[in-house]
């Protein structure tokens, strides 16, 4: 396979060439050119080259980007970890993915769940923006073998796993989606086609780096194009204004971020002006409400475009940069992606392009994952007999092929802040609290988060039920803060059918 990052390969081969001087990554006041990235990542690649699988403590920092690039150069699959994950979630991921070592920024304290792993510090050694041209990264440890990294990157089989990204299902703990190099390359090149994305683009975003959106699209995307990314560390509208006013050309975000932008616009003319200058504003990971589309378009004259993807499939569709932007749609299938809608039976194709007939989206193409790690049962269940991946998303198609997502098959999947969260894993965590006898979890509409997590609890002692904060802390500490319930309702019993199954549709609070 050819290099995943041609500009980096060029910089590795010719440290004094033009590519080496191009800007690659910037996080706050710390940045790396392609030459510096090569000089930093190649020795790390040599260091981890023999590892089976490596965990990356994926803070929103330069170190995470360097670690993942090093793993890709070495051909070793990286498992990005959410640094806010609680003990039981981390414990599961580490046990399931069995990494041989963990890469972490120097000085970061790692939780007990990672104590058994060998730790390797990600040494970057660039401190300030002003240093960038004059300072080389700290002397790499022996063996410093850029040629080794170069050879590995070029020689690797496209099916070599690049990343294992954990994603929630309706029940049970998260599953590790094994994403091969072939899928990373295919999806990024398809997006380049759809978005006219080039090495001249400068991307800004504040997405987390342990999911597909922030990591693959938001970091590996610009690097594959030979362009650059400026990461905000955490999302703030002031950072968006600053970067889009000083040369950034594209913005990626989840709908919650665009909602916060839409809320800020009436009082923030500088934000409106900055957004108006952008070449492309892209939203994904959940549906962007038409109201937010409209507010942004009215204040800036710019239309946000949506793309649709999934951890297992990377990107499937997008509104194209040269196409008609249309609020409420996720555009057309990307080059190379086969997309069909199917009827209830899961195999009969819906032929209609009428904007009305609903079917489940099924996809196939080079953008797909290989398997769920250690879960052949779940992998087999995710595909039809004839090889299509069942997304579980329900959609209609307009006469011109634009796809509109209208819902989801599983009511037990919640999308909150752009994160996919399984009701079952939260229910299990709640049931581990001594004050909880029974628990059910649902999602309800939320203007900011899209959906918010709601817990329905039968307390063990009705006289002394655990408080909302206590239950939120309990779930945040075990799983992750974004999985915490925002609202808790206390009931005497949960509504159940004759089979004893909880009837979630009967859980309403009026
Ligand atoms: C509050 N906090 C708590 C608690 N209560 N922490 C622990 N225990 C508690 N009980 C803290 C939080 O940790 C956080 O801390 C702060 O309070 C605010 O948290 P919260 O309200 O939950 O969220 P937010 O910070 O306002 O986050 C909104 C967000 C975030 C920035 C939009 O949801 C986000 O980054 N979403 C992106 C999701 C994403 O990337 N999805 C991609 C996957 P602190 O302030 O210190 O952080 S989907 C994907 O990849 C597919 C392929 C696709 O299509 O893209
Ligand atoms: P995840 O499994 O976390 O990667 O999330 C994938 C899911 O996010 C998809 O199955 C969709 O339900 C949802 N999703 C991603 N992008 C969009 C979008 N633009 N509009 C609506 N839903 C989306």
């Amino acid at each position: 396979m050819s290099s995943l990052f041609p500009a980096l390969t060029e910089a590795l081969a010719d440290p004094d060439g033009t590519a080496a001087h191009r800007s690659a990554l910037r996080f706050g006041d710390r940045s790396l050119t392609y030459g510096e990235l090569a000089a930093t990542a190649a020795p790390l690649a040599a260091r981890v080259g023999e590892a089976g699988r490596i965990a990356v403590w994926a803070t929103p920092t330069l170190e995470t980007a360097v670690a993942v690039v090093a793993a890709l150069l070495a051909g070793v699959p990286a498992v990005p970890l959410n640094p806010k994950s609680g003990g039981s979630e981390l414990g599961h991921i580490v046990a399931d993915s069995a990494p041989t070592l963990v890469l972490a920024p120097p000085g970061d304290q790692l939780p007990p769940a990672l104590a058994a792993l060998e730790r390797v510090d990600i040494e970057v050694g660039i401190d300030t923006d002003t240093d960038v041209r004059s300072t080389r990264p700290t002397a790499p440890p022996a063996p410093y073998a850029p040629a080794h990294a170069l050879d590995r990157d070029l020689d690797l089989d496209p099916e070599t796993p690049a990343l294992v990204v954990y994603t929630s299902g309706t029940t049970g703990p998260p599953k590790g989606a094994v994403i091969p190099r072939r899928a990373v390359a295919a999806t990024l090149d398809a997006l380049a086609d759809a978005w006219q994305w080039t090495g001249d683009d400068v991307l800004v975003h504040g997405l987390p780096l342990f999911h597909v959106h922030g990591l693959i699209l938001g970091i590996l995307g610009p690097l594959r194009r030979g362009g650059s990314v400026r990461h905000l560390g955490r999302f703030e509208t002031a950072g968006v204004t600053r970067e889009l006013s000083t040369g950034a050309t594209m913005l990626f975000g989840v709908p919650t971020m665009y909602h916060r932008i839409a809320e800020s616009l009436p009082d923030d003319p500088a934000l409106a002006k900055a957004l108006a200058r952008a070449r492309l504003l892209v939203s994904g990971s959940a549906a962007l409400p038409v109201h937010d589309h409209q507010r942004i378009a009215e204040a800036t004259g710019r239309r946000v475009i949506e793309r649709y993807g999934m951890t297992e499939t990377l990107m499937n569709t997008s509104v194209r940069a040269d196409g008609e932007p249309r609020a409420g749609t996720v555009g057309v299938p990307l080059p190379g992606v086969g997309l069909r809608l199917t009827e209830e039976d899961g195999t009969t194709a819906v032929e209609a392009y009428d904007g009305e007939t609903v079917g489940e989206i099924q996809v196939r193409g080079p953008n797909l994952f290989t398997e769920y790690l250690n879960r052949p049962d779940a992998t087999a269940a995710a595909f039809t007999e004839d090889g299509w991946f069942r997304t579980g998303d329900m959609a209609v198609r307009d006469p011109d092929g634009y796809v509109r997502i209208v819902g989801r098959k599983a009511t037990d999947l919640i999308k909150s802040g752009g994160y996919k969260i399984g009701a079952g894993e939260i229910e299990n965590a709640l049931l581990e609290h001594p004050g909880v006898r029974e628990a059910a979890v649902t999602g309800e509409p939320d203007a900011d988060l899209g959906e918010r997590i709601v817990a329905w609890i039968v307390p063990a002692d009705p006289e002394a039920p655990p408080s909302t904060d206590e239950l939120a802390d309990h779930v945040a500490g075990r799983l992750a803060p974004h999985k915490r319930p925002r609202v808790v309702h206390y009931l005497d019993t949960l509504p159940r059918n004759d089979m004893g199954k909880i009837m979630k549709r009967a859980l309403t609070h009026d």
Side-chain angles (χ1 to χ4, degrees):
M1 182 178 183
S2 54
S3 171
L4 266 185
F5 309 116
L8 192 65
T9 306
E10 220 179 303
L12 274 166
D14 180 7
D16 294 317
T18 334
H21 295 290
R22 287 178 69 90
S23 169
L25 301 166
R26 195 165 97 192
F27 285 72
D29 58 4
R30 304 169 75 223
S31 57
L32 293 176
T33 61
Y34 277 89
E36 290 163 341
L37 176 58
T40 309
L44 192 55
R47 169 77 179 77
V48 303
E50 305 310 318
R53 220 175 263 138
I54 56 177
V56 177
W57 190 241
T59 53
T61 61
L62 199 50
E63 278 76 7
T64 298
V66 167
V68 172
V69 168
L72 290 169
L73 287 177
V76 174
V79 186
L81 303 176
N82 175 359
K84 288 191 180 164
S85 282
S88 79
E89 183 162 291
L90 273 180
H92 162 71
I93 293 174
V94 169
D96 189 52
S97 61
T100 44
L101 50 86
V102 56
L103 291 178
D108 278 22
Q109 214 191 329
L110 299 183
L114 304 181
L117 296 180
E118 181 193 349
R119 175 193 179 131
V120 174
D121 280 340
I122 311 158
E123 302 283 357
V124 174
I126 293 283
D127 289 329
T128 66
D129 204 24
T130 47
D131 281 337
V132 164
R133 281 176 202 286
S134 56
T135 314
R136 303 299 296 174
T138 47
Y144 175 38
H148 170 81
L150 190 61
D151 293 348
R152 284 292 278 265
D153 182 43
L154 292 172
D155 283 354
L156 285 163
D157 181 335
E159 295 306 315
T160 307
L163 291 150
V164 180
V165 179
Y166 277 80
T167 182
S168 294
T170 48
T171 55
K175 302 187 288 279
V178 178
I179 298 169
R181 296 167 73 89
R182 172 253 304 152
V184 173
T187 219
L188 293 177
D189 293 351
L191 291 177
D193 179 85
W195 298 342
Q196 298 168 4
W197 188 359
T198 72
D200 292 332
D201 278 304
V202 178
L203 172 66
V204 54
H205 72 87
L207 292 155
L209 300 187
F210 47 85
H211 275 311
V212 166
H213 194 167
L215 182 60
I216 299 188
L217 271 57
I219 299 290
L220 305 185
L223 295 181
R224 183 156 173 86
R225 301 272 72 81
S228 67
V229 52
R230 300 182 191 167
H231 194 278
L232 300 174
R234 59 180 299 145
F235 174 79
E236 272 166 354
T237 53
V240 172
T241 305
R242 184 182 63 244
E243 300 306 337
L244 288 177
S245 308
T246 54
T249 62
M250 298 167 87
L251 172 68
F252 289 178
V254 293
T256 300
M257 295 172 180
Y258 284 101
H259 175 77
R260 292 180 186 180
I261 285 173
E263 291 279 289
S264 301
L265 279 170
D267 303 315
D268 193 345
L271 176 61
K273 207 167 147 201
L275 290 167
R277 295 165 64 147
R279 189 179 76 75
L280 214 59
L281 307 172
V282 186
S283 174
S285 303
L288 180 63
V290 171
H291 179 55
D292 289 330
H293 268 287
Q294 283 168 345
R295 291 196 292 173
I296 294 171
E298 278 160 23
T300 68
R302 301 308 308 273
R303 309 282 199 98
V304 177
I305 64 167
E306 287 192 73
R307 95 294 180 284
Y308 156 66
M310 210 170 161
T311 303
E312 294 88 334
T313 66
L314 305 188
M315 295 304 113
N316 296 313
T317 71
S318 183
V319 173
R320 296 181 57 91
D322 56 5
E324 184 206 333
R326 204 180 299 162
T329 94
V330 294
V332 295
L334 287 164
V337 178
L339 183 147
R340 70 178 188 183
L341 301 185
T342 59
E343 290 177 10
E344 195 78 10
D345 64 6
T347 50
T348 310
V350 171
E351 303 297 345
Y353 283 78
D354 57 4
E356 275 178 20
T357 313
V358 178
E360 180 191 359
I361 301 176
Q362 296 186 349
V363 290
R364 63 180 179 192
N367 51 314
L368 263 60
F369 75 140
T370 321
E371 58 171 345
Y372 294 114
L373 195 64
N374 305 324
R375 294 292 308 275
D377 56 328
T379 307
F383 288 89
T384 63
E385 270 176 18
D386 51 350
W388 293 80
F389 177 78
R390 310 170 201 267
T391 66
D393 292 309
M394 307 301 290
V396 301
R397 271 176 312 204
D398 286 346
D400 54 6
Y402 273 53
V403 176
R404 287 174 194 273
I405 296 177
V406 296
R408 216 170 17 230
K409 247 181 153 171
T411 47
D412 275 349
L413 281 180
I414 300 162
K415 264 272 162 170
S416 187
Y419 288 112
K420 182 155 85 179
I421 304 162
E425 59 178 320
I426 308 176
E427 288 159 1
N428 290 338
L430 287 169
L431 287 168
E432 287 169 19
H433 189 288
V436 174
R437 177 176 302 150
E438 290 182 73
V441 165
T442 57
E444 68 183 19
D446 184 279
D448 182 45
L449 296 169
E451 287 182 286
R452 62 176 161 260
I453 295 169
V454 180
W456 307 78
I457 297 295
V458 178
D461 177 358
E463 301 301 315
S467 71
T468 301
D469 284 351
E470 189 178 336
L471 293 173
D473 289 348
H474 173 82
V475 173
R478 250 155 228 259
L479 303 178
H482 65 265
K483 296 181 180 175
R484 70 188 190 275
R486 309 280 173 145
V487 180
V488 178
H489 297 291
Y490 301 90
L491 304 175
D492 296 334
T493 52
L494 293 179
R496 290 181 187 271
N497 64 16
D498 294 344
M499 312 290 288
K501 194 172 175 297
I502 299 168
M503 296 189 295
K504 292 203 176 174
R505 291 190 200 285
L507 290 170
T508 51
H509 51 92
D510 44 23

